[in-house]
Short mmCIF file of all heavy atoms in Angstrom, two decimals:
data_model
loop_
_atom_site.label_atom_id
_atom_site.label_comp_id
_atom_site.label_asym_id
_atom_site.label_seq_id
_atom_site.Cartn_x
_atom_site.Cartn_y
_atom_site.Cartn_z
N ILE A 1 -17.02 -8.42 7.91
CA ILE A 1 -16.92 -7.27 8.86
C ILE A 1 -17.76 -6.12 8.35
O ILE A 1 -18.13 -6.07 7.20
CB ILE A 1 -15.47 -6.81 9.09
CG1 ILE A 1 -14.85 -6.31 7.79
CG2 ILE A 1 -14.68 -7.90 9.72
CD1 ILE A 1 -13.46 -5.72 8.04
N ALA A 2 -18.13 -5.24 9.32
CA ALA A 2 -18.92 -4.07 9.00
C ALA A 2 -18.39 -2.90 9.83
O ALA A 2 -17.86 -3.13 10.95
CB ALA A 2 -20.36 -4.27 9.34
N ALA A 3 -18.49 -1.72 9.29
CA ALA A 3 -18.09 -0.52 10.08
C ALA A 3 -19.08 -0.36 11.23
O ALA A 3 -20.27 -0.59 11.09
CB ALA A 3 -18.09 0.75 9.20
N ARG A 4 -18.56 0.01 12.44
CA ARG A 4 -19.36 0.18 13.63
C ARG A 4 -19.25 1.64 14.13
O ARG A 4 -18.19 2.20 14.06
CB ARG A 4 -18.95 -0.71 14.72
CG ARG A 4 -18.99 -2.14 14.38
CD ARG A 4 -18.38 -3.01 15.44
NE ARG A 4 -16.95 -2.63 15.74
CZ ARG A 4 -15.98 -3.56 15.80
NH1 ARG A 4 -16.19 -4.79 15.66
NH2 ARG A 4 -14.82 -3.10 16.00
N GLY A 5 -20.30 2.15 14.67
CA GLY A 5 -20.26 3.44 15.28
C GLY A 5 -19.63 4.55 14.41
O GLY A 5 -20.07 4.73 13.28
N ALA A 6 -18.68 5.17 14.94
CA ALA A 6 -17.96 6.33 14.21
C ALA A 6 -17.25 5.80 12.91
O ALA A 6 -17.08 6.55 12.04
CB ALA A 6 -17.01 6.99 15.12
N GLU A 7 -16.89 4.47 12.91
CA GLU A 7 -16.28 3.91 11.70
C GLU A 7 -17.18 4.09 10.47
O GLU A 7 -16.69 4.16 9.35
CB GLU A 7 -15.97 2.48 11.98
CG GLU A 7 -14.96 2.23 12.96
CD GLU A 7 -14.84 0.69 13.27
OE1 GLU A 7 -15.76 -0.09 13.00
OE2 GLU A 7 -13.79 0.30 13.81
N ARG A 8 -18.49 4.17 10.65
CA ARG A 8 -19.39 4.31 9.51
C ARG A 8 -19.14 5.62 8.85
O ARG A 8 -19.36 5.76 7.69
CB ARG A 8 -20.86 4.24 10.02
CG ARG A 8 -21.26 2.80 10.37
CD ARG A 8 -22.64 2.75 10.85
NE ARG A 8 -22.70 3.37 12.17
CZ ARG A 8 -23.84 3.66 12.80
NH1 ARG A 8 -24.95 3.45 12.25
NH2 ARG A 8 -23.77 4.22 14.00
N GLU A 9 -18.65 6.67 9.56
CA GLU A 9 -18.34 8.00 8.98
C GLU A 9 -16.88 7.99 8.45
O GLU A 9 -16.69 8.45 7.39
CB GLU A 9 -18.58 9.05 10.02
CG GLU A 9 -19.99 9.18 10.50
CD GLU A 9 -20.92 9.68 9.37
OE1 GLU A 9 -20.48 10.55 8.58
OE2 GLU A 9 -22.04 9.21 9.33
N VAL A 10 -15.94 7.54 9.31
CA VAL A 10 -14.56 7.69 8.88
C VAL A 10 -13.98 6.51 8.23
O VAL A 10 -12.89 6.55 7.60
CB VAL A 10 -13.76 8.07 10.15
CG1 VAL A 10 -14.10 9.41 10.70
CG2 VAL A 10 -13.73 6.96 11.19
N GLY A 11 -14.61 5.35 8.36
CA GLY A 11 -14.15 4.13 7.74
C GLY A 11 -13.44 3.20 8.73
O GLY A 11 -12.93 3.65 9.71
N ARG A 12 -13.57 1.90 8.49
CA ARG A 12 -12.90 0.87 9.31
C ARG A 12 -11.66 0.47 8.60
O ARG A 12 -11.69 0.01 7.47
CB ARG A 12 -13.86 -0.32 9.55
CG ARG A 12 -13.23 -1.30 10.44
CD ARG A 12 -14.25 -2.37 10.85
NE ARG A 12 -13.65 -3.36 11.67
CZ ARG A 12 -14.30 -4.29 12.31
NH1 ARG A 12 -15.61 -4.39 12.17
NH2 ARG A 12 -13.68 -5.18 13.03
N LEU A 13 -10.52 0.59 9.24
CA LEU A 13 -9.24 0.34 8.65
C LEU A 13 -8.91 -1.13 8.65
O LEU A 13 -8.90 -1.76 9.64
CB LEU A 13 -8.14 1.14 9.31
CG LEU A 13 -6.78 1.25 8.63
CD1 LEU A 13 -6.91 1.85 7.28
CD2 LEU A 13 -5.86 2.10 9.54
N VAL A 14 -8.57 -1.66 7.45
CA VAL A 14 -8.11 -2.99 7.25
C VAL A 14 -6.67 -2.84 6.81
O VAL A 14 -6.32 -2.15 5.85
CB VAL A 14 -8.94 -3.75 6.16
CG1 VAL A 14 -8.35 -5.11 5.90
CG2 VAL A 14 -10.38 -3.83 6.56
N ILE A 15 -5.75 -3.51 7.54
CA ILE A 15 -4.35 -3.39 7.31
C ILE A 15 -3.68 -4.77 7.16
O ILE A 15 -4.03 -5.63 7.93
CB ILE A 15 -3.58 -2.65 8.42
CG1 ILE A 15 -4.20 -1.20 8.59
CG2 ILE A 15 -2.09 -2.56 8.14
CD1 ILE A 15 -3.64 -0.54 9.82
N LEU A 16 -2.78 -4.93 6.23
CA LEU A 16 -2.04 -6.12 6.10
C LEU A 16 -0.56 -5.81 5.79
O LEU A 16 -0.25 -5.14 4.84
CB LEU A 16 -2.59 -6.97 4.86
CG LEU A 16 -1.85 -8.25 4.50
CD1 LEU A 16 -1.72 -9.22 5.66
CD2 LEU A 16 -2.53 -8.86 3.34
N THR A 17 0.28 -6.24 6.68
CA THR A 17 1.73 -5.98 6.53
C THR A 17 2.43 -7.33 6.47
O THR A 17 2.59 -8.00 7.47
CB THR A 17 2.27 -5.16 7.75
OG1 THR A 17 1.51 -4.00 7.87
CG2 THR A 17 3.75 -4.80 7.53
N PRO A 18 2.92 -7.70 5.25
CA PRO A 18 3.59 -9.00 5.11
C PRO A 18 5.02 -8.91 5.50
O PRO A 18 5.66 -7.81 5.40
CB PRO A 18 3.43 -9.32 3.63
CG PRO A 18 3.36 -7.90 2.96
CD PRO A 18 2.61 -7.03 3.94
N GLY A 19 5.60 -9.96 5.99
CA GLY A 19 7.00 -10.05 6.29
C GLY A 19 7.87 -10.25 5.07
O GLY A 19 7.41 -10.20 3.95
N HIS A 20 9.13 -10.60 5.30
CA HIS A 20 10.05 -10.90 4.21
C HIS A 20 9.79 -12.26 3.60
O HIS A 20 9.46 -13.25 4.36
CB HIS A 20 11.48 -10.81 4.65
CG HIS A 20 11.83 -9.32 4.86
ND1 HIS A 20 11.81 -8.80 6.15
CD2 HIS A 20 12.22 -8.37 4.05
CE1 HIS A 20 12.13 -7.51 5.99
NE2 HIS A 20 12.46 -7.27 4.73
N VAL A 21 9.95 -12.34 2.26
CA VAL A 21 9.82 -13.64 1.58
C VAL A 21 10.98 -13.67 0.57
O VAL A 21 11.61 -12.70 0.29
CB VAL A 21 8.43 -13.69 0.79
CG1 VAL A 21 7.29 -13.65 1.77
CG2 VAL A 21 8.30 -12.64 -0.26
N THR A 22 11.20 -14.91 0.06
CA THR A 22 12.19 -15.05 -1.04
C THR A 22 11.53 -14.73 -2.31
O THR A 22 10.56 -15.33 -2.72
CB THR A 22 12.75 -16.46 -0.99
OG1 THR A 22 13.28 -16.79 0.27
CG2 THR A 22 13.82 -16.64 -2.03
N LEU A 23 12.03 -13.71 -3.00
CA LEU A 23 11.52 -13.26 -4.26
C LEU A 23 11.99 -14.26 -5.40
O LEU A 23 12.91 -15.01 -5.20
CB LEU A 23 11.91 -11.85 -4.59
CG LEU A 23 11.51 -10.78 -3.52
CD1 LEU A 23 12.16 -9.44 -3.86
CD2 LEU A 23 9.99 -10.68 -3.50
N PRO A 24 11.37 -14.18 -6.58
CA PRO A 24 11.71 -15.07 -7.62
C PRO A 24 13.18 -14.96 -8.04
O PRO A 24 13.80 -15.98 -8.44
CB PRO A 24 10.81 -14.64 -8.80
CG PRO A 24 9.59 -14.03 -8.17
CD PRO A 24 10.10 -13.42 -6.86
N ASP A 25 13.82 -13.86 -7.80
CA ASP A 25 15.25 -13.69 -8.18
C ASP A 25 16.17 -14.22 -6.99
O ASP A 25 17.37 -14.07 -7.13
CB ASP A 25 15.55 -12.23 -8.55
CG ASP A 25 15.37 -11.24 -7.34
OD1 ASP A 25 15.02 -11.71 -6.28
OD2 ASP A 25 15.53 -10.03 -7.60
N GLY A 26 15.53 -14.76 -5.97
CA GLY A 26 16.33 -15.37 -4.88
C GLY A 26 16.66 -14.37 -3.79
O GLY A 26 17.20 -14.78 -2.74
#
């Protein structure tokens, strides 16, 4: 991906929101 238009000035936001998982402690 590349920043486009105004994103070149302010940045293009990449977001990742994971859901719930079982942690090593259960």
Side-chain angles (χ1 to χ4, degrees):
I1 61 174
R4 301 176 300 230
E7 293 172 338
R8 290 179 286 170
E9 295 294 321
V10 298
R12 182 170 180 172
L13 192 57
V14 176
I15 301 172
L16 174 58
T17 306
H20 288 95
V21 299
T22 303
L23 300 174
D25 62 4

